[in-house]
């Protein structure tokens, strides 16, 4: 099988990763849900909807046919949002190269997946659907990164986590460049939890940031930011260890504190943006509760993954009997149970 690569999902992150690989001279096919995105990539060398103003290489082709995208590929990277990931994987199960385990698979989507057993980590859930060849061989790729920066060649670091050292190295070599550093890890569970749960903290961070901007004489300052960040990291590690993380240092690496820091602080972060808009635009006033928000999340105009993650972290905290006041408080805010400012004041004051 020739060295061909497919990326499923033409959002900003999927497009950026496809561009990085194509720039190394590889033939890359990206699967798009929208025909307009496909045509924009193929005709204009642009993805104006999700990654505007970034010119794409000629050897990056787009298709709406998911089986065409996957068939006969050596590498497959799943980049569809977590709420669509299971539907995506179900569509490719009959492709011959997947049935025979010939295609190495990595996931760059962040979040938990809803199942009949409750929220679960992405790789263990996909293993239940994929042929047995893929058990303990999937790769999870995450780290402090923004599509806008990676696509423009800004220096960035990622973690490729897998129980298969061979596959971790294969995807590391596929992605790495002079400006994109990729490191291997065996802590598949820890890296996945860190990648999913940090989006919850980022929404809370965005709320705090907006409150500071609006009321400059309030009780919150830069030190408050760090206080919230540290409390959030502690909760992420607490959840990660409860869910089977194998290396505590995962949470002090780029996949832990690194990813959390950039997600909270960068103006490019969608979850931080959503948190700010909760304060600045009273965006939650349009929704009855968290379930209503999730059902109509497309109305926001962008996808803050932390909204769904907040629900799942709340469920997992209950399951494992964990004390996670930031994450649970954010869930209550999104569920319209408490006001953001009341939560932040009460939580931060209660730390003393």
């Amino acid at each position: 099988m020739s060295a061909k690569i497919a990326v499923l999902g033409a959002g900003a992150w999927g497009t950026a990763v496809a561009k990085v690989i194509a720039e190394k001279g590889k033939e890359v096919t990206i699967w798009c849900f929208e025909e307009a995105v496909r045509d924009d990539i193929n005709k204009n060398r642009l993805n104006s909807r999700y990654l505007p103003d970034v010119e794409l290489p000629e050897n990056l082709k787009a298709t709406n046919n998911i089986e065409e995208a996957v068939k006969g590929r050596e590498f497959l990277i799943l980049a569809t949002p977590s709420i669509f990931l299971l539907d995506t994987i179900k569509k490719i199960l009959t492709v011959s190269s997947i049935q025979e385990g010939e295609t190495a698979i990595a996931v760059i989507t962040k979040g938990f997946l809803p199942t009949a057993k409750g929220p679960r980590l992405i790789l263990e859930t996909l293993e239940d659907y994929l042929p047995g060849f893929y058990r303990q061989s999937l790769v999870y790729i995450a780290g402090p990164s923004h599509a806008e920066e990676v696509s423009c060649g800004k220096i960035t670091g990622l973690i490729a986590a897998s129980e298969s050292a061979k596959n971790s190295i294969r995807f590391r070599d596929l992605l790495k460049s002079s400006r994109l550093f990729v490191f291997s890890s065996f802590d598949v569970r820890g890296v996945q939890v860190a990648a999913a749960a940090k989006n919850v903290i980022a929404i809370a961070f965005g709320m705090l940031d907006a409150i500071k901007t609006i009321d400059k004489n309030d009780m919150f300052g830069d030190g408050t930011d760090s206080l919230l960040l540290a409390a959030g990291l502690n909760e992420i590690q607490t959840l990660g260890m409860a869910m089977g993380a194998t290396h505590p240092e995962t949470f002090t690496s780029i996949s832990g504190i690194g990813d959390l820091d950039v997600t909270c602080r960068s103006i490019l972060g969608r979850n931080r943006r959503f948190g700010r808009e909760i304060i600045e635009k009273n965006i939650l006033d349009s929704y009855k509760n968290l379930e209503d928000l999730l059902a109509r999340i497309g109305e926001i105009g962008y996808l803050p993954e932390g909204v769904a993650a907040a629900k799942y972290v709340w469920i997992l905290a209950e399951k494992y009997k964990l004390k996670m006041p930031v994450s649970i408080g954010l869930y209550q805010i999104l569920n319209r149970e408490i006001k953001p400012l009341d939560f932040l004041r009460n939580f931060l004051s209660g730390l003393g």
Side-chain angles (χ1 to χ4, degrees):
M1 188 165 44
S2 59
K4 298 179 180 179
I5 297 91
V7 176
L8 301 188
W13 188 219
T15 303
V17 169
K19 178 179 184 286
V20 167
I21 299 171
E23 286 175 335
K24 297 176 69 175
K26 303 290 186 181
E27 179 183 328
V28 183
T29 299
I30 189 166
W31 173 71
C32 315
F33 182 76
E34 303 100 328
E35 292 183 1
V37 174
R38 175 201 63 190
D39 294 341
D40 195 24
I41 293 173
N42 289 336
K43 296 177 182 178
N44 305 319
R45 300 285 94 212
L46 296 170
N47 185 342
S48 303
R49 179 166 183 177
Y50 295 110
L51 195 64
D53 304 320
V54 175
E55 185 174 353
L56 302 175
E58 291 290 336
N59 54 322
L60 171 56
K61 307 296 183 182
T63 180
N64 287 132
N65 187 322
I66 194 168
E67 293 188 1
E68 174 188 315
V70 174
K71 186 176 180 180
R73 306 296 167 181
E74 182 178 355
F75 296 97
L76 174 63
I77 297 175
L78 302 176
T80 50
S82 58
I83 57 177
F84 306 124
L85 191 56
L86 280 182
D87 287 338
T88 301
I89 206 73
K90 290 174 184 178
K91 292 176 182 177
I92 66 172
L93 293 177
T94 58
V95 177
S96 58
S97 51
I98 299 297
Q99 288 183 330
E100 298 301 321
E102 297 172 352
T103 302
I105 299 177
V107 181
I108 59 175
T109 299
K110 298 176 180 179
F112 300 98
L113 296 184
T115 73
K117 301 177 182 179
R120 300 178 68 198
L121 297 174
I122 289 176
L123 295 198
E124 66 178 359
T125 308
L126 297 189
E127 285 180 347
D128 287 346
Y129 289 86
L130 289 163
F133 303 107
Y134 290 101
R135 193 161 297 277
Q136 298 182 320
S137 72
L138 300 176
V139 180
Y140 189 79
I141 300 169
S145 53
H146 285 302
E148 296 85 351
E149 293 186 344
V150 170
S151 64
C152 295
K154 303 293 185 183
I155 292 176
T156 302
L158 298 173
I159 295 284
S162 179
E163 295 178 74
S164 166
K166 176 183 176 182
N167 282 347
S168 173
I169 293 170
R170 290 177 71 192
F171 276 100
R172 185 185 71 191
D173 292 344
L174 177 68
L175 288 169
K176 71 178 183 180
S177 70
S178 61
R179 296 190 180 185
L180 182 61
F181 307 137
V182 186
F183 307 92
S184 292
S185 171
F186 288 114
D187 191 2
V188 181
R189 288 179 168 270
V191 173
Q192 287 181 89
V193 171
K198 54 96 179 181
N199 288 327
V200 178
I201 307 303
I203 295 177
F205 195 94
M207 292 190 305
L208 175 60
D209 190 53
I211 291 170
K212 285 170 54 184
T213 302
I214 292 169
D215 188 354
K216 297 184 183 298
N217 296 315
D218 205 87
M219 62 194 288
F220 305 135
D222 292 343
T224 321
D225 290 347
S226 295
L227 186 62
L228 180 61
L229 195 75
L233 179 62
N234 183 62
E235 292 188 12
I236 292 170
Q237 183 171 13
T238 297
L239 179 61
M241 299 307 292
M243 296 189 71
T246 56
H247 295 70
E249 58 267 29
T250 292
F251 303 97
T252 55
S253 74
I254 61 172
S255 62
I257 184 58
D259 205 357
L260 175 64
D261 181 69
V262 76
T263 305
C264 287
R265 297 188 188 278
S266 175
I267 61 172
L268 298 174
R270 293 187 301 271
N271 294 285
R272 177 183 184 271
R273 174 185 172 184
F274 184 71
R276 288 189 61 90
E277 291 183 351
I278 289 175
I279 304 301
E280 295 172 337
K281 299 183 179 181
N282 298 311
I283 197 169
L284 294 181
D285 289 353
S286 301
Y287 304 94
K288 298 176 183 178
N289 50 35
L290 180 52
E291 292 302 324
D292 186 35
L293 174 58
L294 287 170
R296 299 161 52 202
I297 201 162
E299 298 174 7
I300 296 174
Y302 59 94
L303 182 59
E305 295 266 15
V307 173
K311 173 183 176 180
Y312 301 141
V313 168
W314 173 72
I315 293 171
L316 291 166
E318 292 283 313
K319 175 181 178 180
Y320 293 108
K321 302 186 185 321
L322 303 176
K323 185 178 180 181
M324 301 179 64
V326 177
S327 302
I328 293 173
L330 194 277
Y331 165 82
Q332 292 172 328
I333 290 168
L334 297 181
N335 204 36
R336 305 293 305 278
E337 297 176 25
I338 57 176
K339 297 289 186 181
L341 186 56
D342 291 341
F343 163 72
L344 286 171
R345 286 182 183 276
N346 294 338
F347 167 71
L348 293 169
S349 298
L351 287 177

